[in-house]
Amino acid sequence: MTSERAQYPSSNEVSQTGFPGEQQSLRLRGVSSPGSDQNYPQFNWRSTSEEEDEDEAEDENCEETREIRSRPMHMALKRALRQVQEMQVPVVSSGKSWKWRQAKSLRKLKNNSREFLYFFVLWRKSLQKIGGNFGGGVQSYFLFLRFLVVLNFFSFLLIAGFVLIPSIVFRSVGSSTGYSGLAGSQCMKYDPNPQGLIVFYKYLLDLLSGTGFMEYSYLFYGFYNNTMVESGNFSYNIPLAYLGTAAFYFAFCLICMIARMGSAFRVTVATGGSTAGNYSMMVFTGWDYSCLGDQATKLKQKNINYQLQVDLEEQRLKRRAAELTLGQKVLLYSLRVLMGVLSLGFIFAAFYGIALATDFSQQKSGQEGILGLIFEYLPSIAITAGNFVVPLLCDQLAKVEKYPPSNTVIVALLRSVFLRLMSLGILLYTLWSQITCEGDTDSATCKLCYYNHGDYPCWETRVGQEMYKLTLFDFLIHFAVLILVEFPRRMVVDNSSSKLAQWVGRQEFVVPSNVLVLVYGQTVVWAGALFCPLLPLINTVKFVFLFYFKKITLFYNCRPALKTFRSTKSNFFFLLVLLLGWGLALVVMIYSLSEIHPSFGCGPFRLFPSMWSVFPASFYRLPQTSQEFLFFIGSQAFLTPLFVLFIVGMCYFIALASVYGKSVALLREQQKREVRDKQFLVKQIEELKKLHPPIVNAAVYEG
């Protein structure tokens, strides 16, 4: 202790001179007396010695950085201290000094690269403006839309790299693969090319319906060949690449969704899913200190204001629900059950109408002209009408149910997702019942080709056309609603003083219904990607236009929502609903691969007994060593330990999430106790002041 004290100046010396002695080194000047620690923050400026290695130097640097951040001083002083700290070069050997400089340069390069890429984030300023004016709930919709745009674009790059470009390059070379048992039979007949002269408007009809020149193109399944290219050590199997890319496409989308769900779930665990946790995050970490300018500052203030409104409304409704009597609770729950039954009745009525429209459309598929186009779009019209009318009726029922805002969003999403996804399922079921003769392949219609070749010579392309029409019709509906409904409504409301116009008012941006539109559109793409490989590209363009449509509507045609909601749970729930759509599309793909016989006249699987048969056929072409390795991967000796390891990992992460949740709950209880203790101390101080009022010195007044 004496040796350590001898290294530093005494408190008297410091107080007399104002700085340490002349013989002191620079790193010792930051150390002052204990008395000075009460008023000024002190730091340890000592560099590492020659015996310390690079890891210890970095740890000390991180500790000093954290120490600076924890000190109660303004940002300018912290920045100056940080610059002084960076100017210090530790005294190390030449090799370690080089490593230290390289590590420092690498960290600086990473930070600069991250800041540079930040300016290229898609729609960054638009999303900031939306969040500031309309809150985090509406902003979560646009963030979700941006996620789907990026997901579809990278999915298209995947399909283009492994299927589209090789099919274009190898179209005129290579040999056919598969079994030719029915070559030359009636099942091979398929000629979608139009004959004779074509009227000009027919091209427009073909563009809208996916027939004619659109049908026999790279857009649909039927145009791809079953080509096998072999040249020396290079070989490329188009059918195997087609099916493998489809499987990897679904796996890629699943990984992206799970990764995004993990980040959203971490926020939910951190806040505990409660208003108190969300309020703490807003108070202590809500402000963005990188806001530059008055506009960005005002937008951030508005965003926090909206979040506080949501929390206050949640607390108000919870307090009102807690004050209900037993009879009022019974009446409320009875009304909720009755409204739930009525909403299910509306949904099943919509399903029945979609089934009738699809059946009638397939019967009238041979019609020409405008009437034929209407018949072809009849399933899309029925689905769109059901998805528009039924949610409106359910929203009226929700007013009677009186759920809190967050629960109202979840209930509306559950009803809408059931309606939209099952309506798509009803459409596909109706199509497949006609393609497979309702599962009876021994009937007269399906006995020859194992599917209804008379009405569906290339049934995969027909399913792809239906998905293409659903995607295109959804885009046209959004454009028509923007031009013909939303802008006229805004102009009438703003320029008319009638009571009806003021009662109708500007529309609100309802997040649940808009999110379900995105989920429905993405589910259509997943269900049709196997039969229409370029559908992800079409959906990317559609979602880009939809972003600007919704942004224009939001700022020019909508008013701020009367009831806002927190986006903490909603972000996770949006992805969970999207995962349900992915599951429905996965069922569609698995059933198509394994149960329905491929068309004999088109597509890369035309000569295979099933689409899945391309994997065994390609497997037996591999060398013996590769076959044995793949057999081992698929054996119980490999899969059983892998499954056990997966279960252990799942249990670990579940336990980890549970521990984190309990830790958050304990910390929240500790904060509540500390608040109560502080309130108790404040009351005690006030009581002491009342009992012992402060004595004012009369000399103060005399002076």
Side-chain angles (χ1 to χ4, degrees), residues 561-699:
L562 297 178
K563 291 186 177 182
T564 56
F565 65 97
R566 282 188 285 120
S567 59
T568 305
K569 291 183 179 180
S570 302
N571 289 329
F572 180 78
F573 194 78
F574 293 163
L575 293 167
L576 184 61
V577 171
L578 186 64
L579 188 62
L580 294 177
W582 179 88
L584 175 63
L586 182 65
V587 172
V588 171
M589 188 184 74
I590 292 175
Y591 182 78
S592 302
L593 295 179
S594 58
E595 296 297 329
I596 306 179
H597 197 288
S599 299
F600 287 101
C602 66
F605 310 102
R606 63 187 70 185
L607 298 179
F608 287 95
S610 66
M611 294 184 185
W612 184 258
S613 301
V614 68
F615 278 122
S618 302
F619 173 78
Y620 289 110
R621 291 175 177 266
L622 296 174
Q624 186 65 28
T625 306
S626 301
Q627 293 184 24
E628 292 177 356
F629 176 73
L630 293 177
F631 267 124
F632 172 73
I633 291 178
S635 63
Q636 294 181 357
F638 179 80
L639 292 179
T640 301
L642 183 64
F643 179 74
V644 172
L645 184 63
F646 177 76
I647 294 298
V648 171
M650 287 286 292
C651 293
Y652 169 74
F653 284 110
I654 291 173
L656 196 64
S658 177
V659 170
Y660 285 158
K662 291 180 180 178
S663 299
V664 171
L666 291 175
L667 290 174
R668 187 175 295 113
E669 291 297 327
Q670 182 179 355
Q671 289 178 350
K672 291 180 179 179
R673 287 195 297 268
E674 290 179 356
V675 170
R676 287 195 293 266
D677 292 341
K678 291 179 180 178
Q679 291 176 350
F680 175 76
L681 291 175
V682 169
K683 291 181 180 179
Q684 293 293 325
I685 292 172
E686 291 179 353
E687 292 179 357
L688 289 174
K689 286 182 178 180
K690 292 179 181 179
L691 295 176
H692 305 284
I695 301 174
V696 181
N697 193 354

Side-chain angles (χ1 to χ4, degrees), residues 229-294:
V229 180
E230 293 183 352
S231 177
N233 295 327
F234 175 78
S235 64
Y236 201 88
N237 193 336
I238 295 295
L240 181 62
Y242 193 98
L243 192 57
T245 303
F248 189 78
Y249 164 59
F250 271 77
F252 170 73
C253 294
L254 178 63
I255 292 171
C256 292
M257 286 187 295
I258 290 178
R260 194 171 179 87
M261 288 177 69
S263 60
F265 185 71
R266 282 196 296 268
V267 177
T268 305
V269 172
T271 59
S274 65
T275 305
N278 193 34
Y279 177 75
S280 299
M281 288 187 65
M282 275 190 292
V283 171
F284 296 107
T285 64
W287 185 253
D288 185 5
Y289 288 94
S290 62
C291 292
L292 299 177
D294 295 338

Side-chain angles (χ1 to χ4, degrees), residues 392-678:
L392 289 179
L393 297 176
C394 292
D395 288 341
Q396 299 301 319
L397 298 179
K399 295 179 180 179
V400 182
E401 294 172 328
K402 297 180 181 179
Y403 286 111
S406 298
N407 293 340
T408 302
V409 172
I410 294 175
V411 171
L413 278 172
L414 288 175
R415 289 170 177 171
S416 299
V417 73
F418 182 69
L419 170 65
R420 289 183 178 270
L421 297 185
M422 290 308 298
S423 62
L424 182 60
I426 293 295
L427 171 63
L428 293 171
Y429 174 78
T430 307
L431 283 174
W432 280 327
S433 64
Q434 297 181 7
I435 293 171
T436 61
C437 303
E438 297 182 355
D440 185 13
T441 56
D442 295 330
S443 62
T445 307
C446 298
K447 187 174 183 180
L448 179 62
C449 303
Y450 308 107
Y451 62 93
N452 189 358
H453 178 270
D455 296 333
Y456 304 94
C458 186
W459 64 266
E460 296 93 345
T461 297
R462 189 62 174 273
V463 175
Q465 288 172 345
E466 293 296 332
M467 301 298 105
Y468 169 78
K469 286 184 288 187
L470 285 174
T471 303
L472 186 60
F473 188 75
D474 190 43
F475 171 75
L476 295 176
I477 285 296
H478 281 100
F479 180 72
V481 168
L482 176 65
I483 300 299
L484 303 177
V485 177
E486 294 175 350
F487 273 115
R489 176 178 176 178
R490 190 272 305 244
M491 289 187 291
V492 170
V493 171
D494 291 349
N495 299 318
S496 177
S497 59
S498 63
K499 293 183 178 180
L500 179 61
Q502 298 303 319
W503 177 76
V504 172
R506 286 193 176 192
Q507 64 178 359
E508 292 185 11
F509 192 88
V510 183
V511 175
S513 60
N514 283 282
V515 167
L516 262 297
V517 170
L518 301 181
V519 174
Y520 166 74
Q522 187 60 42
T523 305
V524 169
V525 172
W526 282 330
L530 182 65
F531 315 109
C532 183
L534 298 186
L535 204 56
L537 175 62
I538 297 173
N539 204 44
T540 302
V541 178
K542 169 193 164 184
F543 280 163
V544 169
F545 278 99
L546 186 62
F547 181 90
Y548 291 104
F549 289 166
K550 293 298 181 181
K551 180 183 175 182
I552 292 172
T553 297
L554 185 65
F555 281 98
Y556 294 98
N557 301 328
C558 293
R559 68 174 185 268
L562 297 178
K563 291 186 177 182
T564 56
F565 65 97
R566 282 188 285 120
S567 59
T568 305
K569 291 183 179 180
S570 302
N571 289 329
F572 180 78
F573 194 78
F574 293 163
L575 293 167
L576 184 61
V577 171
L578 186 64
L579 188 62
L580 294 177
W582 179 88
L584 175 63
L586 182 65
V587 172
V588 171
M589 188 184 74
I590 292 175
Y591 182 78
S592 302
L593 295 179
S594 58
E595 296 297 329
I596 306 179
H597 197 288
S599 299
F600 287 101
C602 66
F605 310 102
R606 63 187 70 185
L607 298 179
F608 287 95
S610 66
M611 294 184 185
W612 184 258
S613 301
V614 68
F615 278 122
S618 302
F619 173 78
Y620 289 110
R621 291 175 177 266
L622 296 174
Q624 186 65 28
T625 306
S626 301
Q627 293 184 24
E628 292 177 356
F629 176 73
L630 293 177
F631 267 124
F632 172 73
I633 291 178
S635 63
Q636 294 181 357
F638 179 80
L639 292 179
T640 301
L642 183 64
F643 179 74
V644 172
L645 184 63
F646 177 76
I647 294 298
V648 171
M650 287 286 292
C651 293
Y652 169 74
F653 284 110
I654 291 173
L656 196 64
S658 177
V659 170
Y660 285 158
K662 291 180 180 178
S663 299
V664 171
L666 291 175
L667 290 174
R668 187 175 295 113
E669 291 297 327
Q670 182 179 355
Q671 289 178 350
K672 291 180 179 179
R673 287 195 297 268
E674 290 179 356
V675 170
R676 287 195 293 266
D677 292 341
K678 291 179 180 178

Side-chain angles (χ1 to χ4, degrees), residues 127-364:
L127 291 171
Q128 184 184 15
K129 187 176 180 181
I130 290 169
N133 286 280
F134 296 93
V138 177
Q139 186 187 35
S140 65
Y141 164 80
F142 286 91
L143 289 171
F144 187 65
L145 178 56
R146 184 180 66 178
F147 167 72
L148 293 180
V149 169
V150 176
L151 180 66
N152 281 278
F153 179 72
F154 281 101
S155 300
F156 163 71
L157 294 181
L158 175 68
I159 295 173
F162 290 95
V163 177
L164 180 61
I165 296 176
S167 297
I168 296 173
V169 174
F170 302 136
R171 185 164 183 81
S172 59
V173 297
S175 59
S176 299
T177 60
Y179 310 98
S180 57
L182 291 175
S185 67
Q186 185 179 357
C187 297
M188 301 291 293
K189 295 180 180 179
Y190 174 66
D191 186 15
N193 294 319
Q195 304 296 328
L197 296 176
I198 302 175
V199 185
F200 177 75
Y201 78 89
K202 185 70 167 54
Y203 287 104
L204 179 60
L205 298 180
D206 292 340
L207 180 64
L208 294 176
S209 60
T211 57
F213 77 96
M214 294 284 292
E215 182 174 353
Y216 203 61
S217 65
Y218 287 104
L219 180 62
F220 294 110
Y221 165 93
F223 191 72
Y224 294 86
N225 288 332
N226 55 339
T227 305
M228 176 70 180
V229 180
E230 293 183 352
S231 177
N233 295 327
F234 175 78
S235 64
Y236 201 88
N237 193 336
I238 295 295
L240 181 62
Y242 193 98
L243 192 57
T245 303
F248 189 78
Y249 164 59
F250 271 77
F252 170 73
C253 294
L254 178 63
I255 292 171
C256 292
M257 286 187 295
I258 290 178
R260 194 171 179 87
M261 288 177 69
S263 60
F265 185 71
R266 282 196 296 268
V267 177
T268 305
V269 172
T271 59
S274 65
T275 305
N278 193 34
Y279 177 75
S280 299
M281 288 187 65
M282 275 190 292
V283 171
F284 296 107
T285 64
W287 185 253
D288 185 5
Y289 288 94
S290 62
C291 292
L292 299 177
D294 295 338
Q295 185 177 5
T297 303
K298 290 179 180 178
L299 290 177
K300 190 63 180 178
Q301 289 174 349
K302 289 182 180 179
N303 196 345
I304 296 177
N305 184 27
Y306 270 103
Q307 295 179 26
L308 291 174
Q309 287 181 10
V310 172
D311 291 337
L312 291 175
E313 187 175 5
E314 290 277 355
Q315 291 295 324
R316 181 180 60 83
L317 292 176
K318 287 181 180 179
R319 185 168 60 251
R320 181 182 297 179
E323 295 173 354
L324 294 177
T325 62
L326 180 61
Q328 291 174 339
K329 290 182 180 179
V330 170
L331 178 61
L332 179 61
Y333 292 140
S334 301
L335 286 175
R336 288 178 179 177
V337 172
L338 179 61
M339 296 302 105
V341 173
L342 286 177
S343 63
L344 287 177
F346 294 147
I347 291 173
F348 282 107
F351 292 164
Y352 182 71
I354 292 169
L356 291 179
T358 305
D359 191 23
F360 183 77
S361 173
Q362 299 303 311
Q363 293 176 3
K364 300 292 184 178

Side-chain angles (χ1 to χ4, degrees), residues 61-73:
N61 191 15
C62 294
E63 290 294 335
E64 292 173 351
T65 303
R66 284 193 291 267
E67 186 181 4
I68 293 176
R69 291 176 180 174
S70 63
R71 293 296 178 175
M73 59 178 63

